[in-house]
């Protein structure tokens, strides 16, 4: 059978190999997963579901009949409803039928075992027309999956311009909340767009009101810090041009310029040197803490620098 699955190969949203351990103590963060967990779905079960969906003739049924439909009640052992499965298997006609007959129904917001709603899966599967129909039918864009990602977080991570456009245009009321919400790795939508180098999304997010100087919650890096860590000159230039604070400090007291030490891109270093306050050009004296950091236990390394919503 043709089962569509989307994997993320245990690679962190923010690659710690890009971060110089001299500059900040990296807190291990949970990786996002965007697969739908359908491995246990047997072929005969899948064929049965497809046959059931193909036999649906909901236009001739009353509202009470529709509420009693088994496709609203049945779920797989992975927690997927028929709507989840229809989206995953690109059964567009059946997907639209179910959405049309579920307007304002909590059924639209059912989350599978990975806490993915139909909206999450529609973004993952690059189905912007389904994203739009789900939103207009009442699917809540604020719901997060088991990695703390809203559908917009996923669009920013995957670079899905079409889904991004629909999500930001159809649900503007919820947008300020979503833009400021970090996932469980401490990253908001702007951070994810920066990390994955989607400059057009970065520009769009900033125009929509995203805070350019918001800090990710593992180490307090702003978008500009992340751009320097990733040695992305074009992104650094964009953020500086958009007014990013070059003197912002991480939780460890490091400015974006500090993160250029030991890095190969001298153009980034020169650009930030001119803009950075003179008292923030030399590395902090706390650099001497490196020796203490190296002898700490594994548990100490994991919990030494934890902050919750920016507070220790």
């Amino acid at each position: 059978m043709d089962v569509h699955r989307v994997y993320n190969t245990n690679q962190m949203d923010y690659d710690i190999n890009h971060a110089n351990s001299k500059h900040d103590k990296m807190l291990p963060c949970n990786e996002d997963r965007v697969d739908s967990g359908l491995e246990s779905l047997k072929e005969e079960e899948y064929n049965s579901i497809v046959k059931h969906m193909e036999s649906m003739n909901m236009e001739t049924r009353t509202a009470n009949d529709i509420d009693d439909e088994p496709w609203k009640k049945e779920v797989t052992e992975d927690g997927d409803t028929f709507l989840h499965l229809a989206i995953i298997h690109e059964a567009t006609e059946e997907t639209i039928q179910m959405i049309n007959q579920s307007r304002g129904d909590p059924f639209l917001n059912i989350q599978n075992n990975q806490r993915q709603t139909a909206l999450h899966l529609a973004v993952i599967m690059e189905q912007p027309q389904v994203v739009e129909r789900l939103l207009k039918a009442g699917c809540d864009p604020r719901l997060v999956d088991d990695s703390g990602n809203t559908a917009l977080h996923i669009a920013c991570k995957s670079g899905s311009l079409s889904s991004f456009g629909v999500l930001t245009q159809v649900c503007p009321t919820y947008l300020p909340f979503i833009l400021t919400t970090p996932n469980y790795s401490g990253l908001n939508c702007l951070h994810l767009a920066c990390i994955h180098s989607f400059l057009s999304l970065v520009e769009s997010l900033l125009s929509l009101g995203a805070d350019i100087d918001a800090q990710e919650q593992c180490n307090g890096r702003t978008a500009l810090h992340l751009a320097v860590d990733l040695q992305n000159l074009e992104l650094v230039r964009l953020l500086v041009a958009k007014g990013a604070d070059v003197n912002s400090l991480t939780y460890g007291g490091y400015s974006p310029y500090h993160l250029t030490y030991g890095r190969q891109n001298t153009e980034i270093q020169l650009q930030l040197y001119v803009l950075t306050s003179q008292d923030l050009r030399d590395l902090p004296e706390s650099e001497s803490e490196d020796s203490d950091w190296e002898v700490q236990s594994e548990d100490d390394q994991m919990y030494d620098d934890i902050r919750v919503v920016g507070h220790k």
Side-chain angles (χ1 to χ4, degrees), residues 75-289:
V75 296
T76 69
E77 62 186 59
D78 299 304
D80 291 302
T81 66
F82 275 15
L83 180 57
H84 288 104
L85 296 175
I87 292 170
I88 293 167
H89 295 287
E90 300 178 326
T92 305
E93 183 178 347
E94 288 78 9
T95 297
I96 292 173
Q97 284 185 337
M98 283 186 271
I99 294 171
N100 288 342
Q101 299 298 339
S102 304
R103 292 183 176 277
D105 193 322
F107 170 76
L108 292 176
N109 290 317
I110 291 177
Q111 294 171 285
N112 62 19
N113 293 354
Q114 292 184 333
R115 301 196 60 77
Q116 296 164 318
T117 65
L119 186 61
H120 287 99
L121 294 176
V123 174
I124 292 169
M125 296 301 299
E126 291 284 354
Q127 298 174 13
Q129 74 282 7
V130 174
V131 171
E132 182 173 5
R133 287 176 179 270
L134 284 167
L135 290 171
K136 291 181 176 179
C139 199
D140 191 342
R142 297 168 297 178
L143 294 177
V144 301
D145 62 17
D146 63 0
S147 294
N149 289 313
T150 66
L152 187 60
H153 284 78
I154 292 173
C156 291
K157 180 178 178 179
S158 64
S160 177
L161 292 172
S162 53
S163 292
F164 177 92
V166 174
L167 287 164
T168 55
Q169 292 171 23
V170 177
C171 55
T173 303
Y174 299 129
L175 197 54
F177 170 81
I178 296 172
L179 290 179
T180 58
T181 299
N183 64 17
Y184 298 156
S185 294
L187 303 166
N188 65 27
C189 291
L190 179 61
H191 297 138
L192 290 171
C194 287
I195 289 168
H196 294 279
S197 300
F198 297 123
L199 271 63
S200 60
L201 290 185
V202 170
E203 288 192 84
S204 296
L205 287 165
L206 294 175
S207 68
L208 291 167
D211 181 2
I212 195 170
D213 295 317
Q215 294 174 289
E216 52 83 18
Q217 295 182 358
C218 289
N219 296 282
R221 286 172 164 81
T222 65
L224 186 56
H225 286 96
L226 295 172
V228 175
D229 265 339
L230 298 169
Q231 292 288 275
N232 190 327
L233 176 60
E234 191 176 357
L235 180 57
V236 169
R237 286 173 172 167
L238 171 62
L239 293 170
V240 169
K242 294 292 184 180
D245 182 5
V246 297
N247 296 313
S248 59
L249 301 178
T250 66
Y251 299 151
Y254 297 99
S255 69
Y257 175 72
H258 289 144
L259 303 188
T260 66
Y261 278 77
R263 303 291 171 80
Q264 294 182 349
N265 196 316
T266 57
E267 193 169 349
I268 292 177
Q269 186 173 46
L270 290 173
Q271 182 173 358
L272 291 178
Y273 178 85
V274 174
L275 299 171
T276 303
S277 296
Q278 187 171 354
D279 59 337
L280 293 178
R281 291 173 180 170
D282 294 330
L283 284 173
E285 293 182 1
S286 58
E287 184 79 4
S288 61
E289 293 177 0

